């Protein structure tokens, strides 16, 4: 206990004082301190309710007797037996509030204060609890547990560890007043307890729990009986459990989300895995050095992301974007205080023995009898897979213009050429093509399998026709390398856009050596999302890339390298990525149609994008798993949030050597086909130059809905934002409104990825017909 003279002289220490001065006036030294306080003007408020406390004491000892109010003065007088009531009991001085309070001495105080606990807690159980030591790390939920334990008198000593001071934003969940702002949280909590029960022993660790004070926290003046972990620090969360397990101390933790409570009975299971085995394999020696982003997957692994509430999942996306940190509510914190205190009491009284993870989810327990059923906003695929008979029928309707010089190739050669064609890129690796070769006339037909391409990203089929152009270009280049040249009739019309092109082969007249050099890159070409430091490229590199792209008539190549321009483009691309993910159909495309969540799925389907090829960090992959749930996206939309989605594109563009763009003069399927050819020439050349190509195409897919579709498939919020973004994009690029916007990509220098996207077996996409 603090010496009063020290308190008066060193009033600057008041910020750390958390225990009252207790004075018994029948003690001469205490009486002198008491008189000094009053004389020095250090007492602003005197609270003397000794008479009513004695009333309660007498009433509690005589529960079967109905005592009238008139009887109490005599009964109290008899009880005091000549002692002056002013000198009976204890005077407690609270220096932080300058209150002087007259209370019963400890045994009688405890007797009266816990009277209403009986028989949920018996006197014998109360006395057992009074011998126990509980340590609490972290004082948000921790404060709620501490106060609840104090009110029930569920401990003899409480050790509090938290390095933080109370801030205004803490008052949404921590019981305190504005007069306590700036005080250490341990002091705020200890004072609150002291004002409930000044006889409880509170030990404060102002630096929080550290490696240096951990032994004192767990062992000094007696080993802890329970550790309550409510800290934010992942390293302390894990290391404190390592210590608790070594000392066979049980651990209790509430997360203030869905009423989740963890109990780890290391006292009964000394070999039990920490956090139920959820952090096995984590290197505790380096965890302190991890960034917040690097800690995310460990935290999600620890909590079990599938069990986190929708609002918390949605909030994770917003952290450091529209909010500073994860949200906590007073209702959840108070519930956690009740659950945590209850479980601690039952453990200490040998009434509860299990380990496990438990939920008291009020959203589930107290919920509408009729669950919230929502209609899916994702359009169903109206197409069926293209069949051989339809392909054959369409091929037979085609009337070739000329026969002279056309080569009839054998099936093996066609197979080789189509295999090269199918190495082309496609949106989400959907591979929307099918091929039929007629050996009677030597014509190879390219078809649009709309069942495979139907998606939010394939607006007005433009993405598919870019892919068809790229596939044709691969086929044409590989044919050229074999001494042949190709020609094609572009066949889509208003009645049928499923037959894309009829392709003929003839002997090459003057082989284009520049195009032939691209042939070696066909099977090496890939999307490279690997992160790498920014590297400046020579101007002639972009000239080389542009010149090959512009060998397609009408193709225009633009490159952007200025830092400010790249930042603006990163912002635009990020906002478009977010708009796509928050759109129900766009989200479904990304999660269900494009992503392959395991390598086994990618191998089995031979299409889509293996998440391991994304080049994501563990934390980014963890965030990806959060947004798989359609309900999470609906929640983010309701909150008008999602700005966290912008960050990934910004980081991608920030390390770009350049952003490159390819367009053609007019918005038409024919130009998107030709644009696909220009894109593939560019990409193959970049591959030969050992450059990493990472498409960032979402602006083109979304802007077309604004420019050519009246905002089809978009809500008002998205339309308004995309309209503004388009104006910014036009200012940067000078595009105008009617060009075929084909390709937008990051160029960088990065290590080649180990994994690359699969392709469908040829027998699934190529058929031979007579």
């Amino acid at each position: 206990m603090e010496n009063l003279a020290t308190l008066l002289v060193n009033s600057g220490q008041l910020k750390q004082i958390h225990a009252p001065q207790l004075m018994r006036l029948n003690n001469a030294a205490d009486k002198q301190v008491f008189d000094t306080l009053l004389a020095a003007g250090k007492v602003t408020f005197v609270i003397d309710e000794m008479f009513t406390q004695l009333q309660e004491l007498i009433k509690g000892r005589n529960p079967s007797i109905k005592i009238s109010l008139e009887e109490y003065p005599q009964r109290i007088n008899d009880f005091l037996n000549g002692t002056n009531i002013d000198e009976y009991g204890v005077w407690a001085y609270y220096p932080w509030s300058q209150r002087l309070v007259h209370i019963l001495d400890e045994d009688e105080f405890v007797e009266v204060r816990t009277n209403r606990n009986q028989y949920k807690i018996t006197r014998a159980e109360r006395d057992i609890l009074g011998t126990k030591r509980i340590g609490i790390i972290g004082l948000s939920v921790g404060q709620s547990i501490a106060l609840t334990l104090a009110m029930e008198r569920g401990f003899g000593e409480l050790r509090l560890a938290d390095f933080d001071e109370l801030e205004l934003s803490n008052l949404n969940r921590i019981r305190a007043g504005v007069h306590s702002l700036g005080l250490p949280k341990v002091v705020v909590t200890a004072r609150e307890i002291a004002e409930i029960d000044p006889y409880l022993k509170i030990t404060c660790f102002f630096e929080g729990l550290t490696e240096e004070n951990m032994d004192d926290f767990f062992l000094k003046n007696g080993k802890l009986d329970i550790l309550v972990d409510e800290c934010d620090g992942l390293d302390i969360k894990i290391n404190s459990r390592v210590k608790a397990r070594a000392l066979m101390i049980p651990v209790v933790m509430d997360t203030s989300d869905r009423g989740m409570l963890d109990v780890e009975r290391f006292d009964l299971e000394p070999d039990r895995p920490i956090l139920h085995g959820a952090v096995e394999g984590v290197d505790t020696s380096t965890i302190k050095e991890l960034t917040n982003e690097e800690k995310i997957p460990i935290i999600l692994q620890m909590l079990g992301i599938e069990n986190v509430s929708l609002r918390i999942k949605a909030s994770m996306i917003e952290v450091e974007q529209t909010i500073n940190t994860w949200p906590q509510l007073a209702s959840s914190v108070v519930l956690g205080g009740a659950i945590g205190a209850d479980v601690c009491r039952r453990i200490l009284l040998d009434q509860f023995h299990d380990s496990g993870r438990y939920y008291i989810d009020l959203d589930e327990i107290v919920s509408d009898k009729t669950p919230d059923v929502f209609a899916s906003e994702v359009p169903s695929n109206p197409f069926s897979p293209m069949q051989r008979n339809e392909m054959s029928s369409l091929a037979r309707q085609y009337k070739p213009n000329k026969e002279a010089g056309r080569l009839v190739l054998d099936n093996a050669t066609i197979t080789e050429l189509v295999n090269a064609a199918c190495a082309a890129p496609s949106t989400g690796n959907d591979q929307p093509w099918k091929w039929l070769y007629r050996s009677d006339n030597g014509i190879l037909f390219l078809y649009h399998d709309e069942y495979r391409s139907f998606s939010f990203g394939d607006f007005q089929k433009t993405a598919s026709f870019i892919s068809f152009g790229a596939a044709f270009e691969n086929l044409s280049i590989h044919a050229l390398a074999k001494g042949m040249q190709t020609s094609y009739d572009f066949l889509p019309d208003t009645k049928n856009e499923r037959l894309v092109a009829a392709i003929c082969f003839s002997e090459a007249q003057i082989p284009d050596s520049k195009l032939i050099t691209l042939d070696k890159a066909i099977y090496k070409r890939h999307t490279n999302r690997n992160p790498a430091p920014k590297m400046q490229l020579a101007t002639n590199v972009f000239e080389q890339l542009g010149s090959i792209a512009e060998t397609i008539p009408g193709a225009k190549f633009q490159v952007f390298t200025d830092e400010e321009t790249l930042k603006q483009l990163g912002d635009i691309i990020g906002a478009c990525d977010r708009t796509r993910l928050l759109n129900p159909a766009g989200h479904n495309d990304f999660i269900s149609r494009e992503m392959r969540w395991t390598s086994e799925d990618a191998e089995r389907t031979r299409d889509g994008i293996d998440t391991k090829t994304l080049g994501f960090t563990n934390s980014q992959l963890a965030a990806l798993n959060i947004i798989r749930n359609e309900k999470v996206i609906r929640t983010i939309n309701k909150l008008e949030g999602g700005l966290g989605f912008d960050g990934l594109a910004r980081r991608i563009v920030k390390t770009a050597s350049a952003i490159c763009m390819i367009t053609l003069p007019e918005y038409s399927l024919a130009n998107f086909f030709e644009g696909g050819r220009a894109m593939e020439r560019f990409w193959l050349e970049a591959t030969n130059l050992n450059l990493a190509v990472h498409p960032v195409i979402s602006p083109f897919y979304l802007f077309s809905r604004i420019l050519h579709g009246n905002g089809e498939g978009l809500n008002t919020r998205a339309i308004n934002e995309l309209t503004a973004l388009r104006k910014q994009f036009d200012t940067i690029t000078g595009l105008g409104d009617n060009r075929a916007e084909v390709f937008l990509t990051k160029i960088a220098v990065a290590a080649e990825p180990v994994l690359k996207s699969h392709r469908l077996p040829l027998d699934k996409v190529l058929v031979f017909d007579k």
Side-chain angles (χ1 to χ4, degrees):
M1 184 155 312
E2 301 283 351
N3 179 277
L4 182 62
T6 304
L7 297 184
L8 296 176
V9 174
N10 300 321
S11 57
Q13 296 178 3
L14 192 61
K15 192 172 182 179
Q16 290 198 347
I17 294 169
H18 56 272
Q21 181 82 29
L22 300 182
M23 296 161 287
R24 293 168 177 85
L25 299 191
N26 57 9
N27 178 288
D30 285 359
K31 180 66 166 65
Q32 183 179 357
V33 171
F34 181 86
D35 291 339
T36 302
L37 279 170
L38 293 171
K42 294 296 181 180
V43 177
T44 304
F45 305 99
V46 177
I47 297 93
D48 186 354
E49 290 293 326
M50 180 55 68
F51 187 86
T52 59
Q53 292 174 61
L54 289 169
Q55 271 186 306
E56 283 199 277
L57 178 64
I58 292 168
K59 181 180 179 180
R61 290 179 176 180
N62 299 277
S64 63
I65 300 174
K66 189 171 181 60
I67 304 173
S68 68
L69 289 176
E70 293 77 15
E71 294 180 75
Y72 275 113
Q74 185 59 49
R75 284 180 176 268
I76 291 172
N77 191 57
D78 293 343
F79 178 83
L80 291 172
N81 193 27
T83 303
N84 186 331
I85 193 171
D86 291 339
E87 295 181 354
Y88 189 82
V90 172
W91 286 89
Y93 176 64
Y94 295 91
W96 52 87
S97 62
Q98 294 194 335
R99 286 187 173 92
L100 187 62
V101 186
H102 196 186
I103 58 175
L104 294 170
D105 214 332
E106 184 169 2
D107 289 345
E108 292 173 349
F109 181 91
V110 172
E111 179 183 344
V112 173
R113 199 176 77 76
T114 61
N115 185 52
R116 295 292 297 273
N117 285 352
Q118 298 182 87
Y119 288 109
K120 286 195 167 185
I121 302 173
T122 67
R123 285 191 177 97
E125 289 170 338
R126 179 198 67 194
D127 292 343
I128 292 171
L129 293 171
T131 67
K132 302 301 182 180
R133 304 174 187 88
I134 299 176
I136 300 180
I137 317 169
L139 292 173
S140 288
V141 176
Q143 190 220 30
S144 184
I145 294 175
L147 295 182
T148 307
L149 285 167
M151 284 188 279
E152 291 187 356
R153 217 166 204 278
F155 58 87
E157 181 191 1
L158 193 63
R159 298 173 191 168
L160 304 176
D162 196 316
F163 62 84
D164 211 357
E165 294 183 345
L166 187 72
E167 298 175 331
L168 183 58
S169 61
N170 298 143
L171 296 186
N172 78 315
R173 65 195 184 279
I174 293 179
R175 176 179 161 155
V178 291
H179 60 279
S180 296
L181 293 175
L183 290 176
K185 288 181 180 178
V186 289
V187 169
V188 173
T189 304
R191 286 181 179 181
E192 188 84 16
I193 292 172
E195 290 174 354
I196 294 169
D197 189 334
Y199 300 110
L200 286 169
K201 182 179 179 182
I202 309 298
T203 305
C204 292
F205 289 76
F206 292 90
E207 304 82 16
L209 188 64
T210 66
E211 292 179 7
E212 292 73 24
N213 67 20
M214 194 172 287
D215 281 342
D216 284 352
F217 183 80
F218 277 90
L219 297 170
K220 190 174 182 179
N221 298 322
K223 189 177 81 170
L224 288 179
D225 294 289
I226 288 183
L227 172 66
V228 177
D229 165 36
E230 299 298 340
C231 72
D232 295 329
L234 187 57
D235 55 325
I236 295 299
K237 193 172 287 292
I238 293 175
N239 291 335
S240 64
R241 278 171 171 76
V242 172
K243 184 76 168 179
R245 184 172 63 179
L247 295 171
M248 298 178 65
I249 297 171
V251 178
V252 172
M253 177 182 74
D254 181 272
T255 61
S256 71
D257 182 60
R258 296 190 63 216
M260 190 191 102
L261 184 85
D262 266 356
V263 181
E264 297 166 271
R265 294 302 302 267
F266 297 128
D267 54 328
L268 303 179
E269 305 170 72
D271 297 323
R272 182 177 182 81
I274 287 172
L275 285 160
H276 317 297
V279 292
E280 290 295 299
V282 174
D283 185 354
T284 57
S285 66
T286 61
I287 200 167
K288 191 173 183 179
E289 280 69 49
L290 297 179
T291 65
N292 286 336
E293 183 175 323
E294 290 168 336
K295 291 176 183 176
I296 287 175
I298 301 174
I299 293 170
L300 294 179
Q301 178 181 324
M302 179 185 76
L303 295 177
I305 186 57
E306 68 281 359
N307 296 318
V308 175
S309 70
L310 283 176
R311 284 294 178 103
I312 284 290
K313 288 176 183 174
S315 298
M316 287 178 181
I317 306 301
E318 300 301 311
V319 171
E320 296 185 354
Q321 300 297 322
T322 60
I323 57 177
N324 291 320
T325 187
W326 295 11
Q328 289 178 292
L329 294 178
S331 53
S332 300
V333 168
V334 171
L335 176 64
I339 300 168
D342 178 88
V343 170
C344 285
R345 182 185 71 249
R346 290 190 287 130
I347 289 173
L348 293 173
L349 294 176
D350 198 28
Q351 297 170 350
F352 175 61
H353 309 91
D354 287 352
S355 297
R357 177 164 286 179
Y358 306 90
Y359 294 88
I360 301 177
D361 188 351
L362 295 182
D363 282 345
E364 290 186 1
I365 297 169
V366 185
S367 59
D368 289 334
K369 293 179 181 178
T370 304
D372 180 22
V373 178
F374 62 90
S376 176
E377 300 175 56
V378 178
S380 57
N381 191 335
F383 301 102
S384 56
M386 199 169 200
Q387 301 298 320
R388 178 181 184 132
N389 58 352
E390 181 186 1
M391 296 165 64
S392 181
S393 174
L394 290 172
R396 292 183 185 281
Q397 295 173 32
Y398 171 70
K399 306 299 181 186
N401 293 326
K402 52 186 179 180
E403 301 282 342
R406 186 189 310 147
L407 297 175
V408 176
L409 306 180
D410 58 56
N411 288 0
T413 302
I414 289 295
T415 299
E416 181 183 341
L417 293 171
V418 171
N419 195 47
C422 291
S426 56
T427 304
N429 193 28
D430 59 9
Q431 303 168 64
W433 41 67
K434 281 199 172 176
W435 309 81
L436 181 145
Y437 181 64
R438 288 192 59 181
S439 57
D440 61 339
N441 60 15
I443 298 176
L444 177 65
F445 293 90
L446 169 59
Y447 300 86
H448 183 184
D449 187 351
E450 292 178 272
Y451 176 78
R452 295 196 59 81
S453 68
F454 178 76
S455 66
F456 180 76
D458 194 23
F459 183 64
Q460 295 179 348
K461 306 178 184 178
T462 54
S464 289
F465 275 76
I466 293 170
S467 301
F468 299 142
F472 171 78
E473 189 59 28
N474 272 3
L475 181 144
S476 183
I477 289 169
H478 194 58
L480 198 62
K482 294 177 71 65
M484 296 176 285
Q485 62 187 30
T486 57
S487 61
Y488 75 93
D489 282 344
F490 188 73
L491 299 176
D493 56 36
T494 55
K495 294 180 180 179
N496 190 338
E497 294 175 345
R498 302 192 80 175
L499 179 55
V500 176
I503 303 166
C504 297
F505 303 91
S506 58
E507 291 184 5
Q509 301 302 310
I510 305 175
D512 188 327
S513 58
K514 180 58 179 173
L515 289 180
I516 290 174
T517 63
L518 301 180
D519 182 61
K520 64 183 179 182
I522 287 176
Y523 293 108
K524 289 176 60 181
R525 185 214 60 80
H526 56 269
T527 296
N528 189 336
R529 304 177 182 89
N530 281 345
K534 186 182 183 71
M535 184 175 294
Q536 188 172 353
L537 298 178
T539 303
N540 70 304
V541 171
F542 299 118
E543 291 172 351
Q544 194 171 339
L545 293 171
S547 65
I548 195 71
E550 290 181 348
T551 53
I552 296 295
K556 180 180 179 181
F557 174 82
Q558 291 175 259
V559 61
F560 307 95
T561 58
D562 173 72
E563 287 296 325
E564 180 58 30
T565 301
L566 290 178
K567 181 181 181 303
Q568 294 173 19
L569 288 172
D571 291 343
I572 293 169
I573 295 163
C576 289
D577 284 352
R578 165 172 43 84
T579 300
R580 182 203 177 195
L581 278 174
L582 292 181
N583 181 283
H587 176 262
N588 182 70
D589 270 8
F590 182 73
I591 298 301
S592 301
R593 179 177 170 272
E594 295 179 8
M595 290 296 105
R596 297 294 174 263
W597 297 93
T598 67
S599 294
E600 291 75 17
D601 280 346
E603 180 68 37
R604 176 180 54 81
T605 63
R606 309 294 297 176
D607 62 5
I609 301 170
D610 188 335
T611 54
K612 290 187 177 65
T613 70
L614 295 176
F616 281 7
T617 63
N618 287 337
S619 59
Q620 290 165 346
L621 286 172
L624 199 62
N625 273 291
I626 293 173
I627 64 168
R628 287 178 68 173
N629 190 327
E630 184 180 358
K631 291 182 179 178
V632 173
I633 296 299
R634 288 172 63 86
T635 301
I636 293 173
N637 271 316
K638 284 181 182 178
L639 300 174
E640 295 191 351
L643 291 179
F645 294 137
D646 298 29
L648 179 60
R650 290 193 185 111
R651 287 193 290 271
I652 288 170
V653 173
K654 188 175 182 179
T655 59
S657 299
I659 294 292
C660 299
M661 185 172 70
I662 297 172
T663 60
L664 268 77
E666 184 181 346
Y667 186 89
S668 67
L669 290 182
N671 273 347
F672 281 105
F673 184 93
E674 286 294 291
R677 297 182 66 193
M679 174 192 76
E680 188 67 351
R681 289 185 182 184
F682 162 88
W683 205 329
L684 295 175
E685 182 72 356
T687 300
N688 281 339
L689 293 173
N690 296 315
L691 297 175
V693 177
H694 181 174
V696 284
I697 202 73
S698 62
F700 285 175
Y701 292 164
L702 290 170
F703 288 158
S704 61
R705 290 177 177 270
I706 298 294
L707 299 174
H708 305 284
N710 258 344
E712 181 182 330
L714 302 170
N715 60 30
T716 302
R717 176 190 173 196
I719 291 171
N720 291 339
E721 184 173 14
L722 288 170
T723 300
L725 290 171
R726 178 65 191 192
K727 289 180 181 177
Q728 296 174 33
F729 193 76
D730 273 351
T731 300
I732 295 169
T733 63
L735 275 185
D737 290 346
N738 198 42
R739 292 187 71 81
E741 298 170 7
V742 174
F743 198 46
L744 190 68
T745 188
K746 167 188 174 179
I747 290 291
V749 178
E752 188 171 335
V754 175
L755 294 175
K756 299 175 185 177
S757 295
H758 295 293
R759 289 296 183 269
L760 293 167
L762 278 183
D763 61 7
K764 301 292 185 184
V765 297
L766 172 62
V767 297
F768 293 93
D769 200 8
K770 293 182 180 180

